[in-house]
């Protein structure tokens, strides 16, 4: 099949390199990596299994290559291409363009062994960063606002600039934690407060992802057992933890993703918090922080060995508090192993 | 004219608010801001001159609104919409969709007075951050690698998490500075080295942008006069500085942008460095870090009062060194005022 890719991680997956201005074209048995002159030297060093072509106008060059190869059909991902860029690529080309949504994500849903190793290392580095962050918040975090705590999380997760982050960390106190994608505010961390931290880093371009919710008492600890002074928060916390553990213990290869989602959702619903669990149970993780499989109530995807995804149930009480506990798992020998 | 917008800064410009999942629809005299329930409360507080509508499926809601308003034509920016999203919006709608590339950027090319004030403040904060960064590098920067120096630049530019950054700072030593978009490496800053820093921050969502190139001698200083020990570097530096100053002094409202570009380029060419000035003289700055007007050798845009753009000539000798000096200017009373 002939296809064209534009997304950086899709390119990296095909040939081990990407730049922010590049295209990958697969034409029959030939493959081309087209980029501009700023990246020629690096591309020629690093691109594998594709011919590197330098051009000031990538799309024009791709059109020439397609013409030369006399291809009749080309697959592309309609999510990757803007209307404008696609028009430049396709207009009057005489080629039939086939829409393949999530083309690269579908190829990447089952991880190779070397990817599983990298993801395990990414998760380990993420876990260690949470340990360092715990110490830092315990000693210097009280009295600081969410802006500063987010900055601290960024500093430690990136190991002071050494690693890229999977995404901007979410560091949310009390009622702000009730927003699943909370942005920082000037709320300060006080003794007796609740703190939710959702953060990850990239190792060899692969993402880690982890969330803990903490009662900031005498000691600040990211462990999964937490003791809140308010009974309602404790009940919500214990429910989320139970749902999290239950899904990890019971997920099996061969199940549909919606069944894995139900492993957390049913438990949360039974505890009476159903309407406060406002998102899916999890998402695949790899080169992108959000990949397939999506662990949602509507996903018919069958879980298989080699898939890597998050288990992250949550309960969000608007105006009051939010709880989320998240780990990454890999499907190995039919079961979910925490990374 | 009826139009639809998707880009966050385009939305913010229309109605003073945006979220990462929102659309803005202008239908005759009516305007709608459509977002999902995570953002309803904030949107209703902050959106001006548009009706806020909450929906789990933005495009479906827009289609209903268009049908109800019986509009026949709708303008959109083909760069903002993916092929997939545009198809969902337009298929079988019976509406004529008109492509308006850079629709919002064209509206934003001349800044209002309140925008000029914000941009001046952003530039001032950026300048002050460079002063703090200078002290930090002078006292603790020698011996550190580009990763760590980039982290330091991020920390100081963001005022430790208080401001967002205009972009990831470029902090490049010696030969790495020869790449206009250098990524950090483990090269360390040594006495006698060259350091290029290109960085900016956002104030009230508007960007600052600034570059200095420094001879890291006894003292590390971002001032524009620099004394390199190597004659060739000094010649390149003085050429860039002269080109930078010349363009700022001679730019006038009424000139075409390509004429402003020539103000730096001619001088650099005369000095024999023409082929090492591999990019345009500058770009507009506003809500986006790269906006109109583009100060390039091909731009026919006529410069007018109220435009804000960078002047940033450079000379890049591959494998050896790179120089760039950049300031933001606003066109006021026919002339370029440095912000």
């Amino acid at each position: 099949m002939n296809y064209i890719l534009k997304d950086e991680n899709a390119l990296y997956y095909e040939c081990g390199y990407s730049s922010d201005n590049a295209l990958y074209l697969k034409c029959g048995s030939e493959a081309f990596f087209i980029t501009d002159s700023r990246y020629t030297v690096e591309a020629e060093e690093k691109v594998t299994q594709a011919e590197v072509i330098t051009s000031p106008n990538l799309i024009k060059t791709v059109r020439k290559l397609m013409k030369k190869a006399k291809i009749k059909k080309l697959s592309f991902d309609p999510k990757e291409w803007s209307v404008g860029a696609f028009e430049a690529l396709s207009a009057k080309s005489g080629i039939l363009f086939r829409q393949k949504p999530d083309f690269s994500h579908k190829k990447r849903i089952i991880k190779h062994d070397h990817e599983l190793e990298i993801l395990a290392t990414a998760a380990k580095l993420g876990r260690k960063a949470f340990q360092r962050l715990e110490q830092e918040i315990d000693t210097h975090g009280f009295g600081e606002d969410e802006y500063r705590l987010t900055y601290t999380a960024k500093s430690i997760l990136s190991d002071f600039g050494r690693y890229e982050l999977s995404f901007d960390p979410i560091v949310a106190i009390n009622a702000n934690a009730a927003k699943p994608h909370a942005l920082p505010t000037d709320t300060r961390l006080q003794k007796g407060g609740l703190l939710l931290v959702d953060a990850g880093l990239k190792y060899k371009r692969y993402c880690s992802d982890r969330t803990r919710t903490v009662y900031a008492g005498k000691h600040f600890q990211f462990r999964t057992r937490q003791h809140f002074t308010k009974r309602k928060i404790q009940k919500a916390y214990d429910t989320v933890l139970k749902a999290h553990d239950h899904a990890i213990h019971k997920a099996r290869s061969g199940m549909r993703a919606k069944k894995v989602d139900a492993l957390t959702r049913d438990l949360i619903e039974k505890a009476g918090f159903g309407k406060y669990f406002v998102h899916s149970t999890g998402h695949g993780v790899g080169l992108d922080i959000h990949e397939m499989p999506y662990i949602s109530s509507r996903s018919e995807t069958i879980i298989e060995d080699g898939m890597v995804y998050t288990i992250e149930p949550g309960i969000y009480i608007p105006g009051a508090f939010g709880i989320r506990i998240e780990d990454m798992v890999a499907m190995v020998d039919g079961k979910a192993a925490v990374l």
Side-chain angles (χ1 to χ4, degrees), chain A:
Chain A
M1 184 176 48
N2 306 317
Y3 57 89
I4 188 161
L5 296 170
K6 197 179 203 302
D7 174 76
E8 278 213 45
N9 283 332
L11 263 57
Y12 179 78
Y13 189 76
E14 298 289 327
C15 61
Y17 179 71
S18 74
S19 83
D20 65 1
N21 188 36
L23 293 171
Y24 177 90
L25 177 69
K26 178 84 177 164
C27 271
S29 63
E30 289 188 301
F32 303 96
F33 184 92
I34 306 107
T35 189
D36 70 61
S37 58
R38 291 174 297 169
Y39 302 108
T40 313
V41 175
E42 276 187 324
E44 285 180 346
E45 271 173 33
K46 293 182 182 166
V47 167
T48 55
Q49 300 177 297
E51 183 184 335
V52 174
I53 296 179
T54 299
S55 160
N57 185 328
L58 309 191
I59 287 182
K60 207 168 157 185
T61 299
V62 164
R63 288 182 65 116
K64 276 186 198 160
L65 289 167
M66 294 191 301
K67 202 171 173 185
K68 202 174 153 197
K70 294 179 186 164
I71 61 169
K72 298 215 167 62
K73 295 173 189 168
L74 189 72
S75 295
F76 76 106
D77 186 339
K79 296 181 182 178
E80 269 184 14
W81 289 79
S82 74
V83 172
F86 180 68
E87 203 166 276
L89 174 72
S90 62
K92 296 178 193 165
S93 65
I95 292 168
L96 177 68
F97 284 83
R98 294 188 145 160
Q99 295 200 6
K100 299 277 184 187
D102 304 311
F103 178 85
S104 178
H105 277 165
K106 283 179 181 168
K107 284 179 87 163
R108 284 147 53 188
I109 190 169
I110 296 190
K111 270 63 183 173
H112 299 293
D113 286 348
H114 76 274
E115 292 181 287
L116 290 172
E117 280 172 29
I118 294 172
L119 281 160
T121 305
K124 191 175 110 185
L125 291 169
R127 195 166 60 241
K128 288 194 170 174
F130 266 66
Q131 289 167 2
R132 291 176 69 181
L133 182 58
E134 173 180 282
Q135 287 175 7
E136 181 62 27
I137 294 177
D138 192 41
T139 49
H140 301 110
F142 288 95
E144 298 293 345
D145 67 13
E146 290 172 345
Y147 289 107
R148 191 57 181 252
L149 292 167
T150 303
Y151 169 77
T152 302
K154 279 187 191 176
S155 301
I156 290 176
L157 265 286
S158 75
D159 196 10
F160 304 93
R162 181 68 44 184
Y163 301 112
E164 285 191 50
L165 300 182
S166 303
F167 53 90
D168 271 356
I170 296 169
V171 179
I173 295 167
N174 301 335
N176 201 25
K179 298 176 194 161
H181 294 104
L183 294 176
T185 69
D186 53 16
T187 302
R188 289 173 187 277
L189 182 65
Q190 308 291 359
K191 291 274 176 193
L194 172 154
L195 185 70
L196 182 152
V197 178
D198 185 349
L201 58 86
K202 291 187 189 183
Y203 173 69
K204 294 187 177 177
R205 294 184 68 142
Y206 284 77
C207 298
S208 80
D209 197 358
R210 185 181 188 83
T211 306
R212 290 292 182 266
T213 308
V214 173
Y215 172 74
K218 197 175 171 192
H219 291 293
F220 182 92
Q221 292 182 306
F222 277 126
R223 60 182 182 182
T224 47
R225 285 215 183 171
Q226 294 287 332
H227 297 287
F228 293 87
T229 48
K230 290 191 182 161
R231 274 185 61 195
K232 188 175 179 186
I233 303 183
Q234 189 67 47
K235 189 184 168 198
Y237 186 89
D238 292 342
T239 303
V240 170
L241 180 59
K242 204 169 150 190
H244 163 273
D245 292 353
H246 184 65
I248 289 171
H249 290 137
K250 298 288 181 183
R252 292 287 180 274
S253 295
M255 269 184 185
R256 289 192 191 272
K258 65 181 184 184
K259 178 80 188 293
V260 179
D261 181 78
L263 291 173
T264 67
R265 198 167 303 278
D266 289 353
L267 236 147
I268 291 173
E269 281 174 2
K270 262 181 215 155
F273 292 110
K275 71 169 178 171
Y276 300 114
F277 180 19
V278 294
H279 55 67
S280 304
T281 292
H283 54 83
V285 182
L287 291 165
D288 284 321
I289 184 62
H290 294 126
E291 296 198 349
M292 296 178 158
Y294 289 97
I295 313 299
S296 82
S297 60
R298 295 175 311 280
S299 172
E300 301 288 346
T301 303
I302 291 170
I303 298 300
E304 294 180 52
D305 276 14
M307 290 183 178
V308 172
Y309 56 88
T310 65
I311 295 287
E312 50 174 312
I315 292 174
Y316 310 92
I317 313 288
F321 65 89
I323 310 277
R324 182 166 65 254
I325 303 171
E326 173 185 33
D327 280 293
M328 285 165 69
V329 301
M331 297 308 296
V332 182
D333 297 333
K335 293 182 181 179
V338 175
L339 291 183

